[in-house]
Amino acid sequence: MYVADKERYSKMKYNRSGKSGLKLSAFSLGMWHNFGSADNFDNMTDMVTTAFDLGITHFDLANNYGPYPGSAEENFGKILKNTLAPYRDELIISSKAGYGMWEGPYGDHGSRKYLVASCDQSLKRTGLDYFDIFYHHRPDPETPLEETAAALDYIVRSGRALYAAVSNYSPEQTLKLSQIMKDLGTPLLIHQVRYNMLERGFEKGLLTVLDHEGIGSIAFCPLAQGLLTGKYLNGIPENSRATHSQFLNADRVKNSPLEKVSALNEIAEARGQSLAQMALLWNLRGGKLTSVLIGASRPQQIIENVKALDAPELSDEELAKIDAILG
């Protein structure tokens, strides 16, 4: 029987999400990869318990995570029931809807019909009574923001989720939706955005909107799907993500700025860190983000990533060097 590490909360930092009352662990565990039907269940369980033992309290899902779509929610539900059930009130569990899940006009995008039905399906798959956070996964150009906002508000007021959130929204869309949600009385908790050293669009307007509106932020792909781990500096290793992922392939690796990655790796080595650890610490610099989503294929990766918090903050000189490399 699993018993959580009694020292877990001394190993992690916790940051308040915007102007809400909720704090999130500085690192959150994402289940986009390696929690699907084709993956090893015992390894999934070990990754989740390792994360919780390190003080990670936030576990992030979506309706379409797998493969097959929905299987990550099913597997996490089994882990929760079999292993983490006694700790449910110590966990922040999120899911999302916004990408295609079933056939026909009601299985995608941002209508009230789709969002509420998808949330109900996700609750059933996970076995949860409610999600702590429920996201609209991407904006829908064909559905009025007022309808999407009303659906998120309903999901919270009906007890299906405690907080509402969005992902992949532009600064302008985020501002408009935030103002609608405030008028409804269900303010947005957090925005999930793609952000890392190589992809810094978050800094071009969205960060300002979130600060103004009091909305938190959480980054996905903080290691650029492995490009910022340094593993591709000397070619593509066998069985690495670039050999089997639809999101990262050999061509993308070859066309990535490997010279910049190599120079960043030198700074990390001088700090006594791995490049991945430095990249994660960079994401958390200056309190720009509430939390950073880390993915993993085995427990040891989670342990190594969390060690990033043990290192000193990046100095102004180091940050200047990084900016010079990134251009």
Side-chain angles (χ1 to χ4, degrees), residues 39 93 99:
D39 299 300
I93 304 170
Y99 287 93

mmCIF file of all heavy atoms in Angstrom, residues 39 93 99:
data_model
loop_
_atom_site.group_PDB
_atom_site.id
_atom_site.type_symbol
_atom_site.label_atom_id
_atom_site.label_comp_id
_atom_site.label_asym_id
_atom_site.label_seq_id
_atom_site.Cartn_x
_atom_site.Cartn_y
_atom_site.Cartn_z
ATOM 1 N N ASP A 39 0.946 2.369 -23.090
ATOM 2 C CA ASP A 39 2.043 2.548 -22.144
ATOM 3 C C ASP A 39 1.920 1.631 -20.937
ATOM 4 O O ASP A 39 0.846 1.088 -20.648
ATOM 5 C CB ASP A 39 2.097 4.021 -21.701
ATOM 6 C CG ASP A 39 2.343 4.966 -22.869
ATOM 7 O OD1 ASP A 39 3.385 4.830 -23.519
ATOM 8 O OD2 ASP A 39 1.474 5.821 -23.146
ATOM 9 N N ILE A 93 -6.352 18.432 -9.871
ATOM 10 C CA ILE A 93 -6.489 17.624 -11.084
ATOM 11 C C ILE A 93 -7.230 18.452 -12.128
ATOM 12 O O ILE A 93 -8.328 18.958 -11.864
ATOM 13 C CB ILE A 93 -7.238 16.316 -10.800
ATOM 14 C CG1 ILE A 93 -6.534 15.528 -9.692
ATOM 15 C CG2 ILE A 93 -7.331 15.469 -12.077
ATOM 16 C CD1 ILE A 93 -7.328 14.351 -9.171
ATOM 17 N N TYR A 99 -10.432 20.020 -28.530
ATOM 18 C CA TYR A 99 -10.025 19.333 -29.762
ATOM 19 C C TYR A 99 -10.999 18.187 -30.034
ATOM 20 O O TYR A 99 -11.804 17.812 -29.177
ATOM 21 C CB TYR A 99 -8.598 18.816 -29.637
ATOM 22 C CG TYR A 99 -7.556 19.907 -29.700
ATOM 23 C CD1 TYR A 99 -7.081 20.516 -28.540
ATOM 24 C CD2 TYR A 99 -7.057 20.346 -30.932
ATOM 25 C CE1 TYR A 99 -6.130 21.529 -28.595
ATOM 26 C CE2 TYR A 99 -6.102 21.355 -30.993
ATOM 27 C CZ TYR A 99 -5.651 21.950 -29.825
ATOM 28 O OH TYR A 99 -4.728 22.956 -29.895
#
